[in-house]
């Protein structure tokens, strides 16, 4: 997929939470094609301590309104500077980067999209695309408290919404892997993004129940192009495609090091060494 370096115009910045903002971007020309699970690398201007671009998941693309949504967690100087953007300012973005979630047709009968924290971001666009193709996704979103759950009304537009909170303030009490739906229903595919411990728990559940599962890794990605090697992850080579079979960095038979920003960030769990 072709990559672009664009100066996008800030259309709106919505404060969703004390730590989260939703930035809506646009431009005069139509936005380029983007897939769920891909990300952008954002140049942060005005922050003397931020030298590298920041990777941000594509939250949603509204082609009718010509809008790109970025859900940003303000965890450092760079993202805090982004939260201060005003309508009319520009944000320089490299996009779209990486490989997203699979959407091969015919789609599986029952798809479960699991997210936690800011990891819910790519699932909104994914759910919208699945719905457009005729699927009925189920969203299972987890957070510490009700106030930490984001964009719930948007998720409800594209599928059934289930939630868990650690304090029981909304939905079922506990973690996403403790939700009753996982016992009561069967799913053909799970697609997941969130904190690594959560994704590992979801992957374990999927393997134990023979369910195909994809996760979006959140390794540190500085360049987004596979050049800086910040985001290397060791994977199984037996599941690699011919295009990646000869990638440098093979360490032992059956494994190799790949750049998450280029080969991912989405991987089938069968390629990962988490459960080993």
């Amino acid at each position: 997929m072709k990559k672009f370096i664009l100066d996008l115009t800030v259309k709106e910045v919505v404060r969703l939470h004390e730590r989260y903002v939703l930035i809506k971007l646009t431009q005069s020309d139509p936005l380029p094609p983007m897939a769920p699970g891909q990300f952008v690398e954002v140049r942060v201007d005005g922050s003397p301590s931020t030298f590298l671009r920041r990777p941000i998941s594509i939250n949603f693309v509204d082609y009718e309104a010509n809008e790109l949504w970025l859900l940003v967690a303000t965890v450092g100087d760079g993202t805090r500077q982004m939260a201060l953007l005003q309508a009319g300012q520009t944000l320089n973005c490299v996009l779209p980067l990486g490989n997203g979630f699979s959407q091969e047709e015919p789609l599986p009968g029952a798809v479960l999209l699991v997210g936690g924290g800011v990891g819910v971001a790519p699932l909104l666009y994914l759910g919208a695309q699945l719905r457009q193709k005729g699927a009925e996704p189920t969203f299972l979103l987890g957070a510490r408290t009700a106030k930490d759950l984001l964009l719930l009304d948007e998720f409800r537009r594209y599928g059934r919404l289930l939630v868990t909170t650690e304090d029981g303030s909304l939905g079922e009490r506990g973690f996403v892997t403790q939700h009753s739906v996982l016992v009561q229903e069967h799913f053909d595919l799970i697609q997941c993004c969130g904190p690594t411990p959560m994704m590992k728990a979801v992957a374990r559940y999927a393997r134990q129940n023979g369910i195909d599962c994809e996760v979006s890794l959140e390794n540190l990605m500085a360049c987004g192009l596979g050049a800086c090697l910040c985001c290397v992850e060791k994977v199984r080579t037996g599941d690699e495609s011919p295009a990646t079979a000869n990638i440098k960095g093979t360490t032992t038979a059956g494994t190799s090091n790949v750049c998450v920003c280029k080969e991912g960030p989405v991987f089938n769990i069968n390629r990962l060494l988490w459960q080993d």
Side-chain angles (χ1 to χ4, degrees):
M1 187 176 288
K2 187 176 180 180
K3 300 174 179 61
F4 299 83
I5 302 177
L6 302 176
D7 284 319
L8 299 177
T9 301
V10 177
K11 190 171 182 179
E12 185 180 10
V13 179
V14 182
R15 173 69 65 173
L16 301 175
H17 181 280
E18 59 188 11
R19 292 189 297 115
Y20 298 103
V21 295
L22 178 65
I23 302 175
K24 298 183 179 182
L25 303 168
T26 190
Q27 64 174 10
S28 56
D29 294 328
L31 291 168
M34 290 172 262
Q38 290 187 304
F39 66 99
V40 307
E41 285 278 356
V42 176
R43 190 183 72 203
V44 181
D45 298 323
S47 175
S49 62
T50 306
F51 303 103
L52 300 173
R53 289 178 179 264
R54 291 294 182 262
I56 307 292
S57 295
I58 293 170
N59 177 221
F60 192 74
V61 185
D62 185 337
Y63 286 105
E64 291 187 6
N66 205 37
E67 290 180 357
L68 165 63
W69 297 7
L70 302 180
L71 180 60
V72 179
T74 55
V75 295
D77 290 339
T79 49
R80 283 194 290 268
Q81 190 67 34
M82 290 175 62
L84 298 177
L85 287 166
Q86 301 291 321
Q89 292 183 292
T90 60
L91 194 62
N92 185 270
C93 300
V94 181
L95 77 164
L97 297 172
N99 295 302
F101 292 98
S102 62
Q103 300 178 76
E104 291 85 0
E105 298 186 44
L107 296 170
V111 183
L112 180 66
L113 308 184
V114 184
V118 76
V120 305
L123 303 183
L124 180 62
Y125 188 34
L126 175 60
Q129 292 288 294
L130 291 172
R131 185 69 172 268
Q132 188 176 42
K133 294 179 179 181
E136 293 291 337
T138 296
F139 298 101
L140 176 55
L141 309 182
R144 291 182 179 178
T145 69
K147 72 174 185 177
D148 297 316
L149 290 162
L150 307 171
L151 300 172
L152 297 187
D153 288 340
E154 293 294 334
F155 282 105
R156 290 188 183 99
R157 294 178 59 189
Y158 302 109
R160 178 175 55 152
L161 176 63
L162 306 173
V163 301
T164 65
T165 49
E166 293 179 28
D167 65 355
S169 54
L170 187 65
E172 296 190 12
R173 187 186 187 98
F175 303 117
V176 289
T177 49
Q178 297 170 323
H179 197 282
S180 60
V181 73
L182 299 179
V183 177
Q184 297 169 354
E185 299 182 26
H186 171 77
F187 294 94
D188 302 297
L189 172 65
I190 298 175
Q191 295 173 306
C192 177
C193 184
T196 299
M198 185 206 79
M199 290 195 293
K200 287 184 176 181
V202 171
R204 189 178 306 113
Y205 166 83
R207 283 192 173 178
Q208 290 172 348
N209 291 274
I211 303 171
D212 196 22
C213 180
E214 294 179 331
V215 296
S216 180
L217 302 189
E218 296 186 324
N219 296 33
L220 178 65
M221 295 182 284
C223 72
L225 301 170
C228 69
L229 305 181
C230 286
C231 61
V232 166
E233 181 83 14
K234 185 179 289 186
V235 300
R236 291 185 178 85
T237 55
D239 295 303
E240 288 183 350
S241 66
T244 61
N246 295 322
I247 191 168
K248 294 181 180 180
T250 300
T251 55
T252 60
T255 66
S256 69
N257 291 328
V258 299
C259 291
V260 169
C261 68
K262 189 174 180 180
E263 304 299 329
V266 178
F267 291 88
N268 189 290
I269 61 170
N270 292 329
R271 292 194 65 193
L272 302 175
L273 304 180
W274 282 352
Q275 308 304 317
D276 295 350

